[in-house]
Amino acid sequence: MSQTTEIKIKLPGNGEEINVLGRNDENLRFIAKHSPVKIVARGNELSVTGQEQDVINTEKLFNQLIKLASKGNQINIPTINYAMKQLAALTKNDREISDILSEVISITARGKQIKAKTIGQYDYIKAIKNYDIVFGIGPAGTGKTYLAVAMAVEALRNKLVQRIILVRPAVEAGEKLGFLPGDLQDKVNPYLRPLYDGLYDILGVETAAKYMEKEIIEVAPLAYMRGRTLEDSFIILDEAQNTTPDQMKMFLTRMGFGSKAVITGDITQVDLPKGNKSGLINAQGILKNVDGICFKYFTEQDVVRHPLVQKIILAYEREKKEMD
């Protein structure tokens, strides 16, 4: 049996220790509950006791959390949960989690910094920078759409594109939308609301509205893309699992010179009528070896909502496998 080891970890001051330990020490309690060590806090110092390797791992975790806090990151349970799982997978040649999760992608209208919260998100952002067409595929809560909107806004701010086009299929209305009351905006708003929410958060309501009024930003159902050629644009197709193969081909062939496209979706949540094949699933096979196109896949590890969401996704995946 290996010998018990004790180390001391010095926490920073200036309020950063509260960020690391959490309100009423909720972060500390979460770590203690999920670690095979004993942790005792005395002021700005932690005493960690346990088996040598367990103590070393806990020290690495706190060092990463302290670095994140020093770079202005909010330390919460999802961040800790993710860091605990990823630390074991990182090698000495990998970048530290604190470096990856501290790079600022964009800044919202309220001054909030937008950063990757998982390595999967970081790789997705890098792909969007380096490829003209990127498919972001994975479960809800992984930030696929929000990060794509953030990257689009940054491209617009840096004058890399002249327009942003945000598109969603309106599956429930059969892409016709005619039976719904009101004008076009009233008809499509229920399907496009998540895209508006991202825009409003990043740009602010007034700026987003001004850009939409000037048609610098356009939010529209997929049906209204037919017959168009979009140049110098950042185009996002959200909920792409609910396109048909013909619709996906139509969308992808709208790209003109100087444009970039991001296609996001969850292939486990297809809402198309029974018997209709998903254009997103179809595209994986057809385009997987096309140079210049990148597929990035998210897993439950990239879910940045409540830790229970990861468990829910895994439970449904297990049930699906059993049924198959």
Side-chain angles (χ1 to χ4, degrees):
M1 186 173 179
S2 58
Q3 190 175 356
T4 298
T5 302
E6 180 182 8
I7 62 164
K8 305 289 185 181
I9 300 173
K10 187 75 173 178
L11 297 175
N14 300 322
E16 288 181 15
E17 75 282 2
I18 298 174
N19 188 9
V20 173
L21 298 178
R23 186 174 54 188
N24 299 321
D25 289 343
E26 63 178 355
N27 293 347
L28 180 62
R29 289 198 301 274
F30 180 85
I31 295 170
K33 180 180 178 182
H34 294 86
S35 301
V37 295
K38 181 181 178 182
I39 306 173
V40 177
R42 295 186 182 90
N44 278 21
E45 188 177 78
L46 298 177
S47 171
V48 181
T49 308
Q51 301 301 307
E52 184 177 12
Q53 191 56 54
D54 295 331
V55 169
I56 291 171
N57 292 340
T58 303
E59 183 180 28
K60 286 181 181 178
L61 173 64
F62 274 104
N63 286 340
Q64 292 299 303
L65 297 179
I66 290 167
K67 285 183 180 180
L68 281 169
S70 70
K71 294 176 180 180
N73 292 270
Q74 181 63 40
I75 309 301
N76 52 32
I77 299 300
T79 300
I80 295 168
N81 190 45
Y82 181 75
M84 291 174 78
K85 292 178 179 178
Q86 290 300 319
L87 269 173
L90 291 175
T91 69
K92 291 181 181 178
N93 295 323
D94 287 318
R95 294 185 60 188
E96 290 187 337
I97 292 173
S98 59
D99 291 334
I100 291 172
L101 304 189
S102 294
E103 286 194 16
V104 178
I105 303 157
S106 185
I107 298 177
T108 70
R110 293 175 293 175
K112 176 186 173 184
Q113 294 180 337
I114 300 174
K115 305 173 184 178
K117 295 182 179 178
T118 70
I119 295 171
Q121 287 189 353
Y122 179 78
D123 289 341
Y124 176 59
I125 291 161
K126 282 202 303 183
I128 293 174
K129 289 179 179 178
N130 296 327
Y131 290 85
D132 286 339
I133 297 180
V134 175
F135 286 80
I137 302 173
T142 50
K144 304 182 299 293
T145 303
Y146 186 83
L147 291 174
V149 172
M151 293 295 288
V153 169
E154 278 305 290
L156 185 66
R157 285 171 173 168
N158 294 323
K159 303 187 186 305
L160 300 176
V161 297
Q162 295 180 7
R163 302 180 67 203
I164 297 174
I165 315 291
L166 307 177
V167 185
R168 256 193 172 203
V171 170
E172 296 84 349
E175 288 280 343
K176 295 178 183 177
L177 307 172
F179 72 92
L180 291 172
D183 59 18
L184 173 62
Q185 207 64 42
D186 294 328
K187 294 173 190 290
V188 302
N189 268 351
Y191 309 102
L192 305 176
R193 177 51 54 189
L195 297 176
Y196 283 114
D197 290 343
L199 276 177
Y200 292 157
D201 185 55
I202 297 166
L203 282 172
V205 175
E206 289 185 8
T207 302
K210 181 179 72 174
Y211 282 165
M212 284 187 276
E213 184 180 344
K214 293 182 177 180
E215 296 188 346
I216 295 172
I217 296 178
E218 180 180 350
V219 185
L222 179 59
Y224 288 80
M225 294 297 104
R226 195 173 298 279
R228 302 176 62 182
T229 300
L230 304 172
E231 296 189 348
D232 297 313
S233 301
F234 197 117
I235 317 157
I236 299 172
L237 172 58
D238 191 32
E239 296 290 333
Q241 74 276 7
N242 290 329
T243 64
T244 65
D246 284 344
Q247 288 172 332
M248 178 63 76
K249 179 183 176 183
M250 179 273 289
F251 171 80
L252 292 172
T253 53
R254 298 309 92 201
M255 277 187 70
F257 291 107
S259 288
K260 186 182 287 283
V262 179
I263 300 94
T264 68
D266 179 358
I267 56 177
T268 69
Q269 297 288 332
V270 178
D271 298 318
L272 291 167
K274 194 172 182 179
N276 286 23
K277 191 170 185 179
S278 166
L280 182 57
I281 294 173
N282 183 251
Q284 292 180 101
I286 294 174
L287 302 175
K288 64 182 179 181
N289 295 319
V290 176
D291 191 34
I293 297 178
C294 180
F295 285 84
K296 281 296 173 185
Y297 292 89
F298 295 88
T299 70
E300 76 284 347
Q301 295 291 329
D302 296 302
V303 174
V304 291
R305 295 177 180 171
H306 193 286
L308 272 176
V309 175
Q310 294 181 2
K311 296 179 181 179
I312 291 167
I313 291 169
L314 286 172
Y316 274 98
E317 286 179 353
R318 283 194 298 268
E319 198 245 356
K320 185 176 184 296
K321 287 177 182 177
E322 290 172 2
M323 290 179 66
D324 294 343

